[in-house]
Amino acid sequence: MSTKPRSTYHHGDLRQSLIDGAIALISTAGVSDLSLRQVARHIGVSHNAPYRHFEDKEALLAAVAEEGFKALTLTMETARQDTPPGTKAALTAIGSAYVRFALAHPAHYRVMFSEFRSNFHDYPSLAAAGQKAFMVLVSTIAAGQTAGIFKAADPWELARVAWSLVHGQALLILDHRIPVASEAKLEEFLQFSCQLLISGMASV
Amino acid sequence: MSTKPRSTYHHGDLRQSLIDGAIALISTAGVSDLSLRQVARHIGVSHNAPYRHFEDKEALLAAVAEEGFKALTLTMETARQDTPPGTKAALTAIGSAYVRFALAHPAHYRVMFSEFRSNFHDYPSLAAAGQKAFMVLVSTIAAGQTAGIFKAADPWELARVAWSLVHGQALLILDHRIPVASEAKLEEFLQFSCQLLISGMASV
DNA sequence: CCCTATATGTTGTCAGCGTCAACATATAGG
DNA sequence: CCTATATGTTGACGCTGACAACATATAGGG
């Protein structure tokens, strides 16, 4: 049921299938247990087929991560659109959306921040996708500064602080190191921490 | 030079040697590339000797993580001792010490927060060591509340926010996702973010 | 329409890995 | 001293990532 039958010798869209298969397997077994051969088997293709589309295992993970960053960017942008620009609510919305993305897509998120043996800068399109996601944060903060809501400081530096907070939250919750008893408790925690940070960032 | 010669059949302190060897190898090759056999070879012992001291590879990593949490606890407690209790300076000191510990001991830190297939709660002494480290944060914050410096709120919840921030910072810097040009820039960033958080936590 | 270049998938192979089982040696306690 | 047990070794198995050689399909020019 996991693989649609393939009558032709060629697969059609093996590259994307590999990415999807990797996500599916990581979701059930964790990223460190993922094997390329497993993914190939899952899709119904020989153990070496993946090498026609990815240089090695890490390159597949880089593609997964890139997809994740693009989805994260979209998620944050959408969340921001529902709030008036240049407000505290806008920053709260994307901060909350960030953590919720990680919790909703743990496999993607873990790969996005897994340790790439070669620096992740060796995958230019991945680095670009990551940068684009980060820019959503920076621009939101900069807009708040223009509106006079946040203190005057390097918006990049402020964004790094905010990113640290939500990234730490996301990982600690995913690792069950910060307990989350219920959806209501989660919402409460996210609001609490965003307000804490934002009041620290406030002007005056 | 990495292994002292062993004339006797028995090693003497293989357990600790394995932990040390694991750290040494992770430091040069990353945690995902670590192999038990590599550690055994490094120490000069057969590929199955480790199994007399650890149930499996993950158990060795759990021991490494536990050692790391104990060292982290010590580091934070020491940092706190140099500051007057119940002050913002105390919290800044342990926050800064936390991130600096991660940067100084990346191998330990990565293992401490690596994804344990079995929940890390399956290693009771590891969970206890982690809890103890966290309690340094909680107690510092509670002391500040008693002194009237931090706002009245669940100190555990405040500690979770603070932990998220420093944990996120530590990982993002380790992964070269937050650039650190120099020691001076690092110090500046740590002070900046701690003050941001603390002013958000301030009473009134 | 064919024919060849190239893209894509397969089979075979290798060393390294984690782990189990069987065996060997050293140490400790009666 | 002698035996039980703790500790280390050797051998094996299936799995893995990766390379090389091969097979098939598709596309584009004659």
Side-chain angles (χ1 to χ4, degrees):
Chain A
M1 69 181 180
S2 58
T3 66
K4 23 188 168 179
R6 165 175 59 109
S7 50
T8 58
Y9 184 85
H10 283 258
H11 178 280
D13 194 6
L14 186 49
R15 196 190 131 91
Q16 187 60 43
S17 295
L18 288 166
I19 294 177
D20 297 342
I23 285 294
L25 294 178
I26 292 172
S27 295
T28 68
V31 54
S32 62
D33 282 2
L34 181 77
S35 85
L36 261 190
R37 295 170 96 111
Q38 207 177 123
V39 178
R41 239 177 285 135
H42 179 77
I43 296 178
V45 98
S46 83
H47 68 263
N48 250 358
Y51 286 92
R52 298 295 164 186
H53 299 271
F54 298 100
E55 195 178 336
D56 55 16
K57 184 182 172 182
E58 193 174 81
L60 169 58
L61 292 180
V64 169
E66 182 179 338
E67 192 182 79
F69 274 113
K70 286 176 178 166
L72 172 60
T73 301
L74 224 74
T75 298
M76 289 194 294
E77 282 173 344
T78 301
R80 186 171 55 175
Q81 278 172 3
D82 296 340
T83 63
T87 62
K88 294 181 180 179
L91 186 55
T92 301
I94 66 172
S96 187
Y98 184 102
V99 177
R100 286 182 180 281
F101 175 89
L103 302 186
H105 308 283
H108 265 113
Y109 196 78
R110 291 219 123 100
V111 174
M112 287 158 67
F113 291 96
S114 67
E115 191 181 3
F116 289 93
R117 153 176 1 170
S118 33
N119 230 339
F120 74 99
H121 284 108
D122 295 355
Y123 302 95
S125 61
L126 168 58
Q131 187 69 9
K132 205 175 159 204
F134 181 61
M135 287 309 294
V136 177
L137 245 181
V138 175
S139 65
T140 302
I141 288 173
Q145 288 179 314
T146 305
I149 291 191
F150 298 138
K151 67 166 69 171
D154 182 357
W156 291 69
E157 209 70 358
L158 283 170
R160 288 189 192 107
V161 177
W163 186 21
S164 296
L165 178 65
V166 290
H167 180 53
Q169 274 180 2
L171 285 182
L172 291 175
I173 294 175
L174 280 180
D175 286 343
H176 302 107
R177 284 167 142 119
I178 288 182
V180 172
S182 67
E183 160 60 32
K185 287 285 180 188
L186 171 64
E187 180 61 23
E188 190 185 332
F189 180 61
L190 294 182
Q191 292 296 325
F192 178 66
S193 49
C194 278
Q195 275 166 21
L196 213 64
L197 178 75
I198 287 176
S199 83
M201 290 173 56
S203 55
V204 176
Chain B
M1 70 180 183
S2 57
T3 66
K4 23 189 166 176
R6 164 175 59 108
S7 51
T8 58
Y9 184 85
H10 283 261
H11 178 280
D13 194 6
L14 185 50
R15 195 190 131 92
Q16 187 59 44
S17 294
L18 287 166
I19 295 177
D20 296 343
I23 285 293
L25 293 177
I26 292 172
S27 295
T28 67
V31 55
S32 62
D33 283 2
L34 181 76
S35 85
L36 261 189
R37 293 169 98 111
Q38 206 178 119
V39 179
R41 239 176 288 134
H42 180 76
I43 295 178
V45 100
S46 83
H47 69 265
N48 251 356
Y51 286 89
R52 299 295 164 188
H53 299 272
F54 298 100
E55 195 178 338
D56 55 17
K57 183 182 173 181
E58 194 174 81
L60 169 57
L61 292 180
V64 169
E66 182 179 335
E67 191 182 81
F69 275 113
K70 287 176 178 166
L72 172 60
T73 301
L74 223 73
T75 298
M76 289 193 294
E77 281 173 344
T78 302
R80 186 170 57 174
Q81 278 173 4
D82 296 342
T83 64
T87 62
K88 295 181 180 178
L91 186 55
T92 300
I94 68 172
S96 187
Y98 184 103
V99 178
R100 287 182 179 281
F101 175 88
L103 302 187
H105 308 283
H108 264 114
Y109 197 78
R110 292 218 123 103
V111 174
M112 288 158 67
F113 291 96
S114 67
E115 192 181 2
F116 288 94
R117 153 183 9 217
S118 32
N119 229 337
F120 73 98
H121 285 110
D122 294 355
Y123 302 94
S125 60
L126 168 57
Q131 188 68 9
K132 205 175 159 204
F134 181 62
M135 287 308 295
V136 178
L137 245 181
V138 175
S139 64
T140 302
I141 289 173
Q145 288 178 315
T146 304
I149 292 192
F150 299 137
K151 68 166 66 171
D154 182 357
W156 290 70
E157 210 70 357
L158 284 169
R160 288 188 191 106
V161 177
W163 187 21
S164 296
L165 178 65
V166 291
H167 180 54
Q169 275 180 2
L171 285 182
L172 291 174
I173 294 174
L174 279 181
D175 286 342
H176 302 106
R177 283 166 145 121
I178 288 181
V180 173
S182 65
E183 161 59 32
K185 287 284 180 188
L186 171 64
E187 180 61 24
E188 189 186 332
F189 179 61
L190 293 181
Q191 292 297 324
F192 178 66
S193 49
C194 278
Q195 275 166 21
L196 214 63
L197 178 76
I198 287 177
S199 83
M201 290 174 54
S203 54
V204 178

